[in-house]
Amino acid sequence: MSVSIAAEPGFFSRERTVAAPSFNRWLVPPAALAIHLCIGMAYGFSVFWLPLSRAVGITQPVACPAEMGFFGSLVATGCDWKISQLGWMYTLFFVLLGCSAAIWGGWLERAGPRKAGLVSALCWCGGLLISALGVYLHQLWMLWLGSGVIGGIGLGLGYISPVSTLIKWFPDRRGMATGMAIMGFGGGAMIGAPLADWLMRQFASPTSVGVWQTFVAMALIYAVFMTAGALGYRVPREDWKPAGWTPPATTKSAMVSSRNVDLGVATRTPQFWLIWAALCLNVSAGIGVIGMASPMLQEMFGGRLIGLDIPFGQLDAAQKAQIAAIAAGFTGLLSLCNIGGRFLWATSSDKLGRKLTFAIFFLLGMVLYAAVPTLAGLGTTLFFVLAVGIIISMYGGGFATVPAYLADMFGTKMVGAIHGRLLTAWATAGILGPVLVNYLREYQIAAGLPNAQAYNQTMYILAGLLVLGLICNLLVRPVAARHYMADEKGTPAALRPATQASLAATPTAERTASPVLVGLAWAAVGVPLAVGVLITLQKTAILLH
C-alpha cells in the first residue's frame, strides 16, 4: 500500500505567501512602495534625453547624414540620436504597461504577488541593463527593446502586483491602501531623476556622458529594492478580516459588493466599460495639462513671471531662461500635487464613496479647466497655479481611487486582473490627451492667435471631456446578481487556502509581529521619498520669488 505525499508548494508559489497569524498588515504597503518607487522612474526618463543626444559628440551632438533612413538610424554608431527618437522609449513604457497589465493580470492572480513582483524586477532591471549595453554599443534598437518593451512589461506587472493584495489586507480602507502604493509610482521620478543626474555627473568623462554606467548602477539599486519588496509580499488567509470591521454585506451601501465577479464576466458588464471611459476621460484631460504645463505657464504669462509686461515672443534669451527656471519649479509643484492627490483623494474615497469621489473629479474639474483662461487673464499666477495644482491632484487621484472602485463593483477575488484590463484606458488616454492638446495648440497658433491665447479653446474642450466622464460615472450602477460567482465557483485554485492549517484560525486582530521591523520597512521607502520631496520643494521655491 503506497501513501502519496503532497508536494510542498514552491518558494515562489502563492501558497507560500499566505501570512502567518502574527503578520502585521502594515508591512505590505512599504513592500508595494519599494516596487512602485522604482518603476515610477519611468516618469523621469527625460533626464537622460539630452546626454543621450550627444553620446557620440560628448559636448555637441553629431548629426546623422540627411540621407540616412529609419532602419539605418537604429544601428548607426557614428552619429547621435535625436530626442524625438529617444522619446519613443517613453511612449513604449506606457503602451506596454497597459498591454502587459491587461494580458497577464489573470496570471498574476493565479501566481500571486511575489512571483509577479520578481518578474517585474527582472524585466525592469534587465531592461535597464540591455539599454546600458545599447548605449555602450550605440544601438538605438536595444534601448527601445530593453527599457521600452521589456521594461514596459515590468512596469505593467509591477504596477498591478500589489493592488489585489492591498485591497484584501485593507478591506476597511481600500482607497487608502491602494493610494499609498500608487502614490509611489507618481513619486518615483522625484527620487530617480536627481539620483540619475548625480550618477551621470560622477561617471561622465571626456569620452563618455556617463549614461550607460548610470543605467547599470540604477539597475542594481532597483533590483535590491524591488526584490525586497516582492519577497515582502504576503496574502491574507481566505477568511481573514481586521478587528472590528463590518463586512459590506451588513452595510447599507449598494455600491459596495461582498461577492465576486470573474474576470471574463466583469469585462463584459456595462459597469466595467463605464468606469473604463470615466478613467480614460479623466486621464486624457489631466495628462494633456501635464504635457503642456511648462510652455502653458510661460506663454500665458510671459514677462509677467519676472515682473515685466512683455509677451513671451518679445522676451530675449536671458529673460526666457529666467521664466524657464520658474516653469521648471511649476512642473515640480505639479509632481507634488500628483503624488499628494493619489493618497489624499483615494483615502477620502473611503468616506465619500468611490462614485461620489469621481463625480467631484469631473464637476470640480469642469469648473477649473474652464476657469484657467480667465485666471491667466487676471495677471496673477497664484490662482492659476492653485487651479492647475488641484486639476493634477485629481488626475493622480483617479489612478489611485479606481482599483478600490473596481473592488467595490466586482469584489476582491479578481480585482488585480480586472484592474489590469482597465489600464488599457491609460494607454488610450496617453495617446488621446497629448495629441489632442498639441494639435489644438498648433491649430490655434496657425490661425493667428497669440501664444498666450492658444490654450483657451483647448481648456474648454478638455472641460467638455469631463462632462462626458461625469455622465459615464453617473450611469454606474451595482452589478446585477446574475454576474456573481457561485460559492468558490470560478475561483482559481491558487486563490484558495493552501492547506487546512491556513483555515485553522482567523486572526481578527492586528497583531504586531515586530514594531522595529515595521519601522525599518517604512524608513526604507519613506526616507528616499522624503529626500525626493525636499529636492522638489527646493526647485519649486523659485515660484515664490
Side-chain angles (χ1 to χ4, degrees):
M1 178 179 179
S2 61
V3 178
S4 62
I5 300 175
E8 181 73 14
F11 176 75
F12 299 111
S13 68
R14 192 180 195 279
E15 292 85 349
R16 289 288 294 273
T17 63
V18 175
S22 61
F23 185 78
N24 190 317
R25 64 174 177 166
W26 289 97
L27 285 169
V28 180
L33 276 167
I35 290 180
H36 271 230
L37 286 172
C38 293
I39 62 175
M41 178 54 190
Y43 273 131
F45 247 65
S46 58
V47 74
F48 298 116
W49 294 166
L50 284 176
L52 283 172
S53 70
R54 48 182 171 80
V56 174
I58 307 300
T59 56
Q60 292 293 330
V62 176
C64 292
E67 65 274 12
M68 181 176 288
F70 170 76
F71 291 104
S73 67
L74 294 181
V75 296
T77 59
C79 57
D80 278 308
W81 303 311
K82 296 178 181 178
I83 291 178
S84 59
Q85 294 174 312
L86 296 166
W88 276 102
M89 291 168 63
Y90 191 80
T91 302
L92 288 168
F93 278 153
F94 297 106
V95 171
L96 268 295
L97 186 156
C99 293
S100 61
I103 293 170
W104 288 297
W107 169 81
L108 184 151
E109 291 289 5
R110 295 189 299 273
R114 176 183 290 176
K115 186 178 291 185
L118 289 172
V119 173
S120 170
L122 181 64
C123 290
W124 179 242
C125 300
L128 283 173
L129 292 176
I130 293 172
S131 292
L133 183 60
V135 175
Y136 184 78
L137 299 176
H138 203 71
Q139 296 290 296
L140 180 60
W141 67 270
M142 295 184 72
L143 275 75
W144 288 1
L145 173 64
S147 289
V149 176
I150 298 174
I153 293 171
L155 287 179
L157 291 174
Y159 189 88
I160 64 173
S161 64
V163 169
S164 175
T165 301
L166 282 166
I167 286 175
K168 289 165 186 170
W169 274 116
F170 292 87
D172 51 336
R173 304 175 188 177
R174 289 174 176 176
M176 181 207 71
T178 56
M180 280 189 291
I182 292 174
M183 172 185 73
F185 190 79
M190 287 198 314
I191 302 169
L195 174 62
D197 182 63
W198 181 82
L199 286 170
M200 283 189 290
R201 283 187 277 111
Q202 304 309 306
F203 289 125
S205 69
T207 59
S208 172
V209 291
V211 175
W212 76 262
Q213 300 94 325
T214 299
F215 278 162
V216 172
M218 295 187 77
L220 296 176
I221 294 169
Y222 286 159
V224 171
F225 274 86
M226 294 181 74
T227 301
L231 296 179
Y233 282 150
R234 295 292 185 277
V235 295
R237 289 177 173 79
E238 186 77 7
D239 51 355
W240 181 90
K241 65 178 182 178
W245 177 64
T246 304
T250 60
T251 68
K252 298 179 181 179
S253 176
M255 295 298 292
V256 181
S257 173
S258 61
R259 299 179 65 186
N260 299 291
V261 181
D262 192 36
L263 172 62
V265 176
T267 53
R268 294 195 298 270
T269 62
Q271 287 85 352
F272 175 86
W273 290 106
L274 288 169
I275 297 173
W276 188 99
L279 180 67
C280 182
L281 291 165
N282 182 56
V283 172
S284 293
I287 207 169
V289 171
I290 286 177
M292 68 177 180
S294 177
M296 182 169 65
L297 180 76
Q298 295 178 64
E299 293 181 336
M300 279 187 160
F301 287 91
R304 288 178 292 174
L305 291 171
I306 52 176
L308 302 173
D309 192 15
I310 303 174
F312 176 79
Q314 297 178 19
L315 296 173
D316 60 31
Q319 291 165 339
K320 286 183 178 179
Q322 283 183 273
I323 68 168
I326 294 172
F330 176 57
T331 305
L333 178 63
L334 295 186
S335 296
L336 294 177
C337 293
N338 184 4
I339 295 163
R342 290 172 187 245
F343 180 71
L344 295 175
W345 283 113
T347 301
S348 299
S349 75
D350 288 330
K351 296 293 184 183
L352 298 173
R354 257 55 82 169
K355 187 173 181 178
L356 177 57
T357 301
F358 263 81
I360 292 171
F361 293 160
F362 294 122
L363 287 168
L364 182 56
M366 282 187 284
V367 173
L368 292 176
Y369 277 96
V372 162
T374 302
L375 295 174
L378 295 177
T380 175
T381 58
L382 176 61
F383 295 114
F384 175 86
V385 170
L386 183 63
V388 176
I390 295 172
I391 285 171
I392 298 306
S393 79
M394 294 188 293
Y395 161 81
F399 281 120
T401 305
V402 81
Y405 203 165
L406 294 174
D408 290 350
M409 286 287 102
F410 303 110
T412 62
K413 190 74 68 178
M414 298 297 292
V415 68
I418 297 169
H419 183 224
R421 295 283 174 89
L422 193 84
L423 288 182
T424 53
W426 186 359
T428 304
I431 298 171
L432 175 63
V435 168
L436 182 66
V437 168
N438 293 334
Y439 278 98
L440 280 172
R441 176 184 175 276
E442 290 179 6
Y443 175 79
Q444 298 291 323
I445 293 174
L449 279 179
N451 285 25
Q453 298 176 24
Y455 299 95
N456 294 3
Q457 287 296 112
T458 302
M459 300 309 290
Y460 297 140
I461 290 173
L462 294 181
L465 292 183
L466 297 188
V467 174
L468 297 176
L470 176 64
I471 293 171
C472 292
N473 183 61
L474 293 177
L475 290 174
V476 175
R477 296 289 185 270
V479 175
R482 68 179 182 276
H483 296 309
Y484 291 126
M485 294 179 181
D487 292 341
E488 291 296 315
K489 183 180 179 180
T491 305
L495 298 184
R496 301 171 192 162
T499 62
Q500 288 298 317
S502 69
L503 294 172
T506 303
T508 57
E510 295 178 33
R511 305 182 190 180
T512 304
S514 171
V516 174
L517 181 61
V518 174
L520 290 173
W522 278 98
V525 294
V527 171
L529 184 59
V531 170
V533 169
L534 181 60
I535 293 172
T536 304
L537 285 173
Q538 290 174 337
K539 294 179 180 178
T540 303
I542 195 171
L543 279 172
L544 305 177
H545 292 85

